[in-house]
Amino acid sequence: MKTPLLGAFTEPKTDKHMLGPIQKIDFPMRRFEPDEEVDICVVGVGSAGGVLVQRLARAGFRVVGIEAGPFWDTERDWVSDEAGSYKLYWNDLRITGGEDPITLGANNSGRGVGGGSVHWAAFTPRFHPSDFHVLSADGLGADWPISYEDLKPYYELLEKEMPVAGPAYFPWGDPHGYPYAPHPLGSVGDILVKGCSKLDIPVVPGGPVAILEGSHGDRPHCIYRGFCIQGCKVGAKQSTLISHVPDAIRYGAEIRADSMVARVNMGKNGHVTGVTYFDPEGHEREQKAKLVIVCGYAIETPRLLLNSACPGFESGLANSSGTVGKYLMVQIGNIVLGRFEQLVRMYKAPPAHAMTEEFYETNPKNDFIRGFAIQTVGPLPIAFAKQMMVAKGAWGWGMRRVMMDYNHWAGLGVLGEILPWEDNRVELSNETDRYGLRVAKVTFRLHDNDKKVAAAGVKKTMEIMYAADAQEVVQEARYAHLVGGARMGSDPHTSVTNSFGQTHDIPNLFVCDGSLLPTQGSANPGLTIQALAARTADYIISNGTNLLSDRPGITSVPNPPVRRDLSPVGTANKGVPRIK
C-alpha cells in the first residue's frame, strides 16, 4: 500500500485544534464578553473540572472554565520524550517540608487543560465499600458522608465515558466487570501474574485502565509504546482534555486557558460574586459568576481558598472549621524493581495493565489497619536512572552499566493507604509567585501505621518478584497521588464541604476535586474524582434555580437523580453487558 489509509501526510492545519492524530476541535468556542456575568465559573479544568464544564454546559448553563495552564494542541505541543514532557506538570514554586517531605510535580500535579489526567497512568479501580467508613470500622481515619452505593452509578457512567478496558470479572471490593475488553499483557504484567500465581495470590491482567484496547469514535486504539505518563499523542488514553472538554465546547462552554485565578471574590451578602484572575498577558481581570466551583486539586484548591481571605473570612474562605489545607494525603508509592535473565522491555505496554488488590482491606492478623495494592509500572530510562541511583547508589560508570541493562528490569508499584492526619497540611508561605500570590507550603510526615503499611507492601512485592524468578530485587521509596485538604463531611465543624462539594460556609461556593476525599484507600483516585464531579453536576443541575439566585442556601432536591443523558456523544449505552 503506497498511500496511508487516511490520506497523504500534511502539515498541521492552523484552523483546527488537534487532540490526537485524528481527533480535533473544528468548531468555534463561545466567547463571553469581558464584563458579562456567567452562571458558573469553574476554576481548574482538570479531572473534575473537565467533567463539570461538560455536564453543566450540556444542561444549558452559561459556563466558563478558567485554567492556569495551556489548552493543549497535542500534535503541536506534546512530544514522546521524558524530558520534553516536563511542561505537562505543575512546576511553579511550592515549599515542601516536614519529616517525610513530598516531592511535588511530575508524580502528582498537572498544569493545562486536562490537568493531571493528561499524564496519569490511567489505572481506574474503584474505591471499595470499606473505604467510605474507615473510622467506624477501624477506629482511625475518617468516614465519608456518602456510601459506596451513592457513588456506584457514577462509577458505572464514567467507566463508559472514559471508557475503561478491564477484566470481565474484578473480584475485589464490590465485584464487577468492565464494559470493554482487557489489554493483552506486556512482559511486566506476565511477571506479576507469574509471581502471584506461584504464591496463590489472585491477580487480574489487562486493566482496569482508561486506555482504548480498540478504536472508539475518533480515538485510535493503544499502540503499546509506553509513553502514557508523558501525554498520549495517540489519543488512546483518556484525559478530560479529549473525553469531555470537546463536548463542553460543543455545548457552549468557554475554556479560558493560561489564566491564573488569584482569588475568589466575596459580596456583602456572604455569597461569592466571581473570581479575579490574571490573563495570558498578565493583566488582572474579573469574571463575575453566580456560582464558583474550585477544582484546583489538593494543593492549589486550599491555596486559593486561603489566599482569598477577606473581612469576615480572615482565615480563608470556607474555613470556619479550620480544616482547609489539613488532612492532606498521598499514597505509598514505592517502586520495586527486579532484574531478570530474559529480556523484559518494560516500555512495551501501558505502564498500567495488571494488578492485585488481595491485600487492600484491613486484616486483623496485621499490626496495622488498611492495606495496599500491587500494580504494574513501566518507568522509562530517565525515571529508571533516578530509581537506580536511589535503590542501588548507581553513579558514574556503575550507572552506565545499570542503564545498559535496562531491558532486563521490571517494575511493580506498591499503592498503599496513608491515613488522614491533621498535621499533614497545606499552608501559605511568605514566598510569592510571579503574580505576587503567596505560594503553598506543604508539611508532611509518615505516622506509624503508614510506615507499617509501606513495609508490608514492599515485602510482599519483593516476594512476588522473587517468585517470578527475579535474580535481583531493589526498591525506591516514593509517594503517589495527592488528595485531601478540603475534605467533605457531615459536620461543618470538622469539614469544608457537604457530600456534593458545597461549602458549609458559603452556599454558592463549591469545591470539586481530589481535595474533597476524607480517605483515599489503596486505589488510584482518578476514577473516583471524575465520578464525584458527575455527582456534583447532578446536584447543581437539580438545584440550579436556587443556587443561581439570591437564595443559594435553599436545597429543593437534596437527593438528585442520576442523569444518564449527559454523557459525551458516542459513549452512553456502549460496551459489553456488565457482570453484576
Side-chain angles (χ1 to χ4, degrees), residues 310-361:
C310 61
F313 297 91
E314 287 80 6
S315 298
L317 298 189
N319 197 25
S320 65
S321 65
T323 57
V324 169
K326 294 182 179 179
Y327 304 103
L328 182 73
M329 293 168 281
V330 288
Q331 285 172 316
I332 294 155
N334 295 47
I335 302 297
V336 175
L337 297 140
R339 201 272 181 195
F340 291 82
E341 178 66 27
Q342 75 274 17
L343 288 171
V344 176
R345 295 191 178 97
M346 56 183 164
Y347 59 89
K348 297 288 279 184
H353 69 277
M355 68 183 303
T356 177
E357 290 187 347
E358 188 65 14
F359 310 101
Y360 191 110
E361 302 284 352

Side-chain angles (χ1 to χ4, degrees), residues 39-56:
D39 295 328
I40 301 168
C41 176
V42 176
V43 180
V45 188
S47 285
V51 173
L52 282 164
V53 294
Q54 180 267 330
R55 275 170 157 68
L56 296 172

Side-chain angles (χ1 to χ4, degrees), residues 187-196 198-199 201 334-340 342 344 346 374-377 379 388 408-414 457-475:
S187 295
V188 179
D190 284 335
I191 287 165
L192 177 60
V193 170
K194 179 180 179 180
C196 286
K198 282 191 176 182
L199 298 174
I201 299 170
N334 295 47
I335 302 297
V336 175
L337 297 140
R339 201 272 181 195
F340 291 82
Q342 75 274 17
V344 176
M346 56 183 164
I374 301 172
Q375 305 175 337
T376 56
V377 295
M388 285 294 148
H408 286 270
W409 286 85
L412 298 177
V414 179
V458 169
K459 180 182 178 183
K460 184 58 65 177
T461 308
M462 285 185 163
E463 290 175 6
I464 291 169
M465 278 289 195
Y466 281 121
D469 298 327
Q471 299 171 316
E472 179 187 1
V473 179
V474 298
Q475 69 107 6

Side-chain angles (χ1 to χ4, degrees), residues 65-354:
I66 302 181
E67 167 57 43
F71 194 157
W72 302 112
D73 183 311
T74 66
E75 291 293 278
R76 295 181 177 87
D77 299 334
W78 292 3
V79 291
S80 296
D81 179 82
E82 281 185 272
S85 299
Y86 180 81
K87 60 189 176 183
L88 300 179
Y89 318 129
W90 190 289
N91 294 307
D92 287 9
L93 177 66
R94 288 163 166 172
I95 310 300
T96 183
E99 292 181 19
D100 304 288
I102 301 169
T103 300
L104 301 171
N107 191 42
N108 47 36
S109 302
R111 186 183 184 93
V113 175
S117 69
V118 162
H119 64 85
W120 68 328
F123 255 132
T124 49
R126 301 179 187 178
F127 280 18
H128 289 201
S130 65
D131 287 317
F132 296 82
H133 54 84
V134 173
L135 179 61
S136 296
D138 294 317
L140 289 174
D143 290 339
W144 292 48
I146 59 174
S147 71
Y148 171 85
E149 292 300 322
D150 293 317
L151 207 53
K152 181 176 179 178
Y154 294 100
Y155 279 144
E156 293 177 345
L157 269 177
L158 267 297
E159 284 165 356
K160 287 189 175 183
E161 292 178 19
M162 289 180 168
V164 174
Y169 183 73
F170 190 85
W172 299 288
D174 172 29
H176 59 281
Y178 287 95
Y180 290 90
H183 287 268
L185 278 178
S187 295
V188 179
D190 284 335
I191 287 165
L192 177 60
V193 170
K194 179 180 179 180
C196 286
S197 298
K198 282 191 176 182
L199 298 174
D200 293 323
I201 299 170
V203 61
V204 295
V209 62
I211 300 175
L212 298 181
E213 192 272 338
S215 297
H216 181 83
D218 56 0
R219 290 170 54 194
H221 60 76
C222 180
I223 60 174
Y224 304 111
R225 66 200 186 109
F227 280 96
C228 301
I229 62 174
Q230 284 73 38
C232 177
K233 282 180 68 70
V234 175
K237 189 191 75 171
Q238 188 264 358
S239 69
T240 56
L241 170 70
I242 64 172
S243 64
H244 288 79
V245 169
D247 199 64
I249 294 172
R250 185 179 287 109
Y251 280 85
E254 179 186 354
I255 307 299
R256 211 167 286 170
D258 293 306
S259 299
M260 179 68 179
V261 173
R263 61 185 174 274
V264 178
N265 300 327
M266 289 295 301
K268 295 180 180 179
N269 59 356
H271 301 155
V272 299
T273 60
V275 302
T276 296
Y277 70 97
F278 292 94
D279 69 14
E281 287 73 44
H283 301 128
E284 190 171 300
R285 308 288 187 188
E286 181 183 6
Q287 176 59 59
K288 297 178 181 178
K290 298 175 183 177
L291 186 146
V292 173
I293 313 175
V294 179
C295 305
Y297 208 51
I299 305 296
E300 293 304 312
T301 286
R303 178 194 176 198
L304 178 58
L305 295 176
L306 295 173
N307 267 327
S308 300
C310 61
F313 297 91
E314 287 80 6
S315 298
L317 298 189
N319 197 25
S320 65
S321 65
T323 57
V324 169
K326 294 182 179 179
Y327 304 103
L328 182 73
M329 293 168 281
V330 288
Q331 285 172 316
I332 294 155
N334 295 47
I335 302 297
V336 175
L337 297 140
R339 201 272 181 195
F340 291 82
E341 178 66 27
Q342 75 274 17
L343 288 171
V344 176
R345 295 191 178 97
M346 56 183 164
Y347 59 89
K348 297 288 279 184
H353 69 277

